[in-house]
Each structure stands twice: as C-alpha cells, then as structure tokens.
Amino acid sequence: MSPSKLIAGVFAALAAFAAVPAAAQHAKYLVTTEWLEKNLNDPGLRVVEVSVNPGLFERGHIPGASNVSWHTDLVDTVSRDIAPPAQFQAVLARAGINADTTTILYGDNNNWFAAWGAWIFDIYGIENVKILDGGRKKWEAEGRPLSNSARIQPAGNAQVKPANAALRAHLQDVLAVARKDRQGVLVDIRSADEYNGKIFAPNGVPELAVRAGHVPGAVNVTWSKLVAEDGTFKSADELKAIYQAAGVDGSKPIITYCRIGERSSHSWFALRKLLGYDVRNYDGSWTEYGNSVGSPISNPSGTVWGKT
C-alpha cells in the first residue's frame, strides 16, 4: 500500500471513530417511527403525546399513547412556572411511567412541545426519555397506525427528583450574560423577523411583549435550521456546523430562548442531548424579557409598540 493511501485510510478510520459518539447521541435520545411501531407492545415502553393543538390527541394518536397537556400538566398555571413536583408526579403516575420505563415523547409542530416535555422530564431527573424523531408529522405522513381510544395505564411508580437548576435559566441569568457580567452565549432561536424586531411575534399568537428585537449579544439560529423536511433532526455533524457558523461551539455555557420557551426547548434538546453542550433553556423568553423594566434590548428594525 502506498503512503498516501495509508494516510488516507488512517484519516478515514479516525473520522469514523469520531462519528460514533455523535451517532450514539442520536440513538440514545431519539427513536425512529419504524422502531416505535415495531415496539409498541413492549410492556417496558410508554408513549406520551405532548401537542399544542387541542383535540388533536382525541382525533387520533399513536396506539397506547397517553395525553399530556402542555398548557395544564407541564406548567403551573397560577405562577407561570414549570409544573411543581407533586403535579408532575401525578402526570407520571397517570401515564404509567415506572422507574425502569423507557418513555417516548412526541407531538405536533415538529415536536416543539414534546421537547418541552423532555426538558421537564430532565429537570426532574426522569431517565430513559427519548423523542420520536419527526413526531406526529412523520408518523402520519408514513401512514402509520392511529387510534382514537384511550388506554388507561396502571399507575406508574417513577419518582421525581429535586429540580435540576442547571437546566433552567432565569431573567437575571440572561441579564448577566447580556451585560457581560458572566460568560456565556445567548441563542435566540426565533425567526429572523422576530430577532430583528420587524415583528413582535408570529401571526396569530396571543403572547406578546411591548418591545420587539432581541437580547443584546444574542446570536440568531432559527430552530427550523435544525430539522430536515420531514421534521427529523439533522445529523450531529450538520448541527455542529450550523451552530459553529454562528459562533456557538460549546466552549461556553449556552442559554436558549424564544417567545415562551417551547421552540427554544427544541433547540435546547439539540444542543444538550444531541451535541452534549452545556445548555440552559430560558422559558421566560421574550415575553418576560421584552416586557421587563430596565432590560436592554437590540432592535435593528426600530419598531415601536402601537406604531406598526
């Protein structure tokens, strides 16, 4: 064998070796539609739908799935907070999730709210949680089975752990990075028009801020860049390249945010679970930050509330 071919072979082997951990991350935290359909009758498996559109679960869902409402089950509706421990414990019991259960989350809107669910599960230390890659969109597009009958599961015994504060960012954390009092990278995952202040929020959404724009210093990596046409996550190498192009390489702590925290949980999942970076999700997001008195903003479009 020639030296050039030997060297090429060594580099190819190294590249293949380096790709294994990245591929393993995808396999650890994602399942395919094909795999899930084959394993629906596994007694150690629980499937949970977390969608935003009301009535979607009732019109048809993956057979055996439990329904978890993002609006009521996974949040504290009084305090605008994540679900408190006792409330989330009841969700786990109702869904039949045990300590050794493998839980598969899926939903509509490219798994935005399923990713929010994965974030909440992670905060409370529930293990063996995966997302159905492509969510409802891919499952339905492939003509896989749907059911409109609810299955009552035996009460689950999984126990919540103390909330992991390292996964969640608050307003003061974002301000500290924006003011350069703390090292970190802010990733705004909203559309370019939202980031630049051209619009206050996507059309038809009720949650608004009185200011448009973004947190000073934040980079814009729209969530939709992370997925393929069928809603599945892109490969780890593709994800790394997307973020590196925006100056995000995992060398500094990352905070993701959007408007209310659901789209940013999708990016949090990609950055933390699929790439292994140190990431927190700021669920207060722009509806809190943009409305908070004294918080600096960047608004390249110069839009003013009431004059658009």
Side-chain angles (χ1 to χ4, degrees), residues 176-284:
V177 176
R179 292 170 174 162
K180 302 187 185 304
D181 295 330
R182 184 183 302 169
Q183 190 179 57
V185 180
L186 300 170
V187 178
D188 185 320
I189 67 78
R190 299 173 299 162
S191 67
D193 283 349
E194 290 172 272
Y195 175 82
N196 290 317
K198 186 176 180 180
I199 59 175
F200 286 83
N203 289 333
V205 301
E207 302 92 352
L208 297 172
V210 295
R211 297 182 297 173
H214 60 268
V215 181
V219 298
N220 186 211
V221 183
T222 304
W223 74 270
S224 58
K225 293 181 179 180
L226 312 183
V227 296
E229 182 63 30
D230 63 359
T232 56
F233 281 99
K234 293 180 179 177
S235 71
D237 288 340
E238 290 173 305
L239 294 176
K240 284 182 180 178
I242 290 167
Y243 282 111
Q244 285 177 348
V248 182
D249 61 5
S251 61
K252 298 178 182 178
I254 301 165
I255 295 175
T256 58
Y257 76 90
C258 59
R259 180 176 52 91
I260 58 174
E262 91 292 9
R263 285 176 292 174
S264 57
S265 64
H266 183 276
S267 296
W268 168 87
F269 185 88
L271 284 161
R272 184 172 181 88
K273 296 299 189 179
L274 304 184
L275 295 183
Y277 294 165
D278 177 7
V279 193
R280 287 185 290 169
N281 186 34
Y282 173 38
D283 53 307

Side-chain angles (χ1 to χ4, degrees), residues 67-81:
N67 188 32
V68 170
S69 170
W70 177 83
H71 299 94
T72 55
D73 292 327
L74 297 182
V75 298
D76 185 325
T77 57
V78 175
S79 299
R80 201 205 162 180
D81 205 342

